[in-house]
Amino acid sequence: MVDITYNKVKKFIEKHQMITQGDLVAAGVSGGADSVCLLHLLLRLRREISFRLIVVHVNHLARAEAAEDAAYVKALCGQLGVPYFLREVDMKGYAAVHRLSVEEAGRILRYRAFEEVLAEQGEGNAGCKIAVAHNANDRAETMLFHIFRGSGVKGVGSIQPVRGTVIHPLLCLEREEIEAYLESHKLAWRTDATNQEDLYTRNKIRRHILPYAEQEICQGAVAHMNGLADILSDTEAYLEEQSRKVYEACVQSRNNGETLWRRGYEPQAGADQLRVQADRLLAEHPVMVQRVLLSCLEQMIPHRKDITGRHIAELTELMTKEGSKELSLPCGVKAYQEYAVLFLVREDRGFGAPFPVSGRKDNNGAAYEIKPPMELHIPGTGDVAFTLREPDPDLLEKIFCKEEENIPENGYTKWFDYDKITTVLLLRTRRQGDYLTIDSSLRTKSVKQYMINEKVPKMQRDSLYLLADGAHVLWIPGYRISQYYKVDKSTKRILQVGIRGGRNGGTS
């Protein structure tokens, strides 16, 4: 029985590549049966794989006997020769301040403690892992808990063998196997009295629902549920792969410090604005629509628990409505749709009004007089550099022989014929009467009509900065330049304008 259990866990660890040579593994040991079993098995495994093992015990300060548990684990580590680290956390206080359940608060604080110890001890180690003692019964309990709460495929898939740096070596063992292993090795463990009470939802599932399922519905229910969890995990991995492709095709993000819209599935949470091609997304299967919208909300809203199925349904409905509509979401996020594009915007970083510009302004307010060479920072636009340069005749010859556009072609660095500017050059927000020269025949179009044609959202139009010569606009950054100011063979002085960083810009 002993060798069977050890070999089972060893193969499970190898299958999921949980531990490799040279790793630093912090085992969470509470003193209960599961964690004591985990510690003992990892010590045995260390004889075959060279890795560094330490123990982290977290005292949640929630029970009178918690200090006794800590003392027991410390003594056990002393007997086994394993470094021991104690962390004390105020679980109930943290839960009250952050309006969390004590279970969720405890989980957050535990993993924070593990990470702190690993950060202190992990220098020079190839990899740092957090080993926790969840078993097959825990996985089944979590699955039921998520089902009752209304979770999706990922939640019902329950605890995964590996989640980032967190590993679950005992997920292949049921509770009976763990206790049998401990008894065969004559290993004692501590019993948490609160596990025998119905104070927490998980305790009710553990003490009443799962035993009833095993005895009255189907013997082997826990094993069957773990098999289902594996199937759902594989399904989730496939759906995640497909979601990534759809997301990258339909969604662009703009983050603090980023001028350009950019595509990518995993911009850091806290994006300033997301732009979703609604018509393209709605052409996908409803499952993909829901998953992509959920990914969008997870980037805009800091706490996953604040996102519900109702928010996904409301966003889906918003995308199908005609005209301009708005929707208020948790944490100050606003959604609106214009021109078949769904925008998710943080209201505290919205685009409904121009950002103020420091420095000397003209009499009309949000404008800055440009006298190159110079560089200035425009909040919401970025750092803007203006330089004058002499044209290179050979380069101009190459450009115009090939009939290419002005270079450089980077969307946020442009060249202009400086001598065609007839008034004071301003970087400013739009004004009534602004226009662009749109072709080589020097036909013009109002900036207002251009923005309508290009489907620039109404909420952004008044906050975009333009480079203007009187009412004649040289450039709408991120969109286009005026044909009239393009460099040609007769250009004597080139004005080079480059923008980097910021939030307000246009499209890439």
Side-chain angles (χ1 to χ4, degrees):
M1 180 66 177
V2 173
D3 288 337
I4 291 174
T5 301
Y6 171 71
N7 289 332
K8 187 176 182 179
V9 172
K10 177 186 172 184
K11 289 179 180 178
F12 188 70
I13 291 173
E14 291 172 346
K15 176 183 177 181
H16 295 284
Q17 300 178 330
M18 294 184 183
I19 300 173
T20 57
Q21 186 168 334
D23 283 348
L24 169 61
V25 179
V29 180
S30 66
D34 300 340
S35 63
V36 171
C37 179
L38 171 67
L39 175 59
H40 196 266
L41 288 168
L42 289 177
L43 281 170
R44 293 185 63 183
L45 181 67
R46 198 172 59 171
R47 300 170 190 168
E48 302 184 48
I49 303 174
S50 178
F51 64 92
R52 183 181 168 200
L53 178 64
I54 63 176
V55 163
V56 178
H57 177 84
V58 181
N59 182 350
H60 298 93
L61 305 177
R63 296 179 294 112
E65 62 272 22
E68 297 175 9
D69 293 343
Y72 171 77
V73 175
K74 182 178 181 180
L76 178 63
C77 290
Q79 294 170 10
L80 299 174
V82 182
Y84 165 83
F85 298 88
L86 171 66
R87 290 292 184 272
E88 294 183 341
V89 298
D90 182 5
M91 179 178 67
K92 291 183 178 179
Y94 187 89
V97 170
H98 296 276
R99 298 182 180 180
L100 300 170
S101 69
V102 289
E103 293 169 288
E104 178 67 9
R107 187 190 68 81
I108 292 171
L109 293 174
R110 279 196 300 277
Y111 285 108
R112 184 178 296 174
F114 296 146
E115 290 167 359
E116 288 175 357
V117 173
L118 284 173
E120 295 170 1
Q121 301 296 315
E123 186 176 353
N125 285 86
C128 293
K129 307 290 176 61
I130 299 170
V132 289
H134 292 112
N135 58 46
N137 294 69
D138 295 321
R139 196 181 196 189
E141 292 162 11
T142 302
M143 175 184 284
L144 289 176
F145 179 75
H146 286 164
I147 289 174
F148 298 153
R149 198 173 58 174
S151 297
V153 173
K154 185 175 182 179
V156 178
S158 193
I159 304 170
Q160 300 304 301
V162 177
R163 178 176 57 82
T165 59
V166 180
I167 60 175
H168 299 91
L170 303 191
L171 215 55
C172 59
L173 299 181
E174 293 189 28
R175 191 159 286 125
E176 290 182 356
E177 295 176 276
I178 290 172
E179 292 183 0
Y181 179 88
L182 292 174
E183 289 172 357
S184 67
H185 276 271
K186 297 181 173 54
L187 292 170
W189 66 89
R190 299 278 298 175
T191 299
D192 184 347
T194 61
N195 287 337
Q196 306 305 314
E197 301 172 354
D198 289 343
L199 295 175
Y200 304 118
T201 302
R202 291 179 185 273
N203 284 8
K204 296 173 184 177
I205 295 173
R206 177 184 304 125
R207 298 184 64 244
H208 303 292
I209 298 177
L210 272 182
Y212 183 87
E214 285 276 1
Q215 297 167 14
E216 303 294 335
I217 299 177
C218 179
Q219 188 175 4
V222 169
H224 297 157
M225 293 172 71
N226 275 261
L228 175 59
D230 289 334
I231 293 171
L232 291 174
S233 296
D234 292 340
T235 302
E236 171 63 24
Y238 172 77
L239 290 174
E240 181 72 5
E241 180 182 345
Q242 300 307 308
S243 299
R244 181 183 298 270
K245 294 177 182 178
V246 175
Y247 185 102
E248 291 181 342
C250 298
V251 182
Q252 291 174 296
S253 67
R254 194 160 63 189
N255 291 60
N256 187 21
E258 294 277 350
T259 298
L260 293 174
W261 286 99
R262 63 189 180 94
R263 296 196 184 277
Y265 190 64
E266 297 176 0
Q268 283 71 32
D272 289 328
Q273 187 174 6
L274 296 179
R275 181 169 64 185
V276 183
Q277 298 295 329
D279 51 351
R280 189 167 184 176
L281 180 57
L282 289 172
E284 299 289 337
H285 191 281
V287 170
M288 288 294 106
V289 175
Q290 294 167 12
R291 291 178 67 90
V292 169
L293 290 177
L294 176 59
S295 294
C296 290
L297 289 180
E298 286 177 335
Q299 293 176 39
M300 302 294 293
I301 297 173
H303 301 297
R304 175 65 180 82
K305 66 181 180 64
D306 292 328
I307 305 170
T308 68
R310 177 176 60 83
H311 298 131
I312 304 298
E314 289 175 343
L315 281 177
T316 304
E317 182 181 359
L318 181 64
M319 289 195 298
T320 62
K321 290 182 178 179
E322 295 183 359
S324 299
K325 305 291 182 181
E326 293 185 3
L327 177 66
S328 294
L329 296 164
C331 301
V333 174
K334 179 175 288 186
Y336 64 93
Q337 176 164 297
E338 291 187 29
Y339 307 115
V341 177
L342 174 70
F343 288 87
L344 295 173
V345 183
R346 292 181 183 276
E347 288 187 290
D348 59 340
R349 302 175 188 173
F351 304 96
F355 286 96
V357 181
S358 59
R360 189 156 59 89
K361 304 173 186 177
D362 76 342
N363 293 329
N364 290 304
Y368 200 97
E369 183 177 339
I370 304 304
K371 292 183 178 180
M374 65 181 296
E375 183 170 339
L376 65 152
H377 177 75
I378 306 296
T381 295
D383 296 320
V384 189
F386 300 87
T387 55
L388 288 178
R389 55 185 297 176
E390 298 296 324
D392 181 338
D394 294 334
L395 178 59
L396 291 180
E397 185 67 27
K398 291 178 182 178
I399 296 171
F400 294 110
C401 282
K402 294 181 180 179
E403 297 183 349
E404 293 179 347
E405 294 289 323
N406 263 20
I407 66 168
E409 295 186 6
N410 182 297
Y412 281 79
T413 300
K414 291 296 183 184
W415 284 3
F416 305 93
D417 189 327
Y418 187 66
D419 293 305
K420 291 180 179 178
I421 298 170
T422 59
T423 66
V424 175
L425 185 63
L426 296 177
L427 184 67
R428 60 170 174 78
T429 51
R430 67 171 181 157
R431 297 174 183 169
Q432 187 174 0
D434 284 346
Y435 67 94
L436 290 156
T437 303
I438 60 174
D439 57 31
S440 58
S441 300
L442 302 185
R443 291 185 300 168
T444 63
K445 178 179 291 186
S446 71
V447 168
K448 178 180 179 180
Q449 189 59 49
Y450 174 79
M451 288 185 172
I452 292 173
N453 293 347
E454 291 298 311
K455 299 180 179 179
V456 180
K458 290 180 182 179
M459 294 181 69
Q460 292 186 32
R461 294 174 193 170
D462 288 334
S463 64
L464 290 177
Y465 274 86
L466 319 174
L467 189 62
D469 174 16
H472 197 166
V473 173
L474 285 72
W475 185 27
I476 304 176
Y479 289 91
R480 68 163 298 159
I481 71 171
S482 183
Q483 187 77 20
Y484 176 78
Y485 295 95
K486 282 190 173 182
V487 171
D488 57 32
K489 291 181 180 179
S490 64
T491 297
K492 302 301 182 185
R493 289 183 296 173
I494 295 173
L495 171 65
Q496 178 174 301
V497 186
I499 300 178
R500 61 181 183 275
R503 288 192 297 271
N504 272 3
T507 56
S508 57

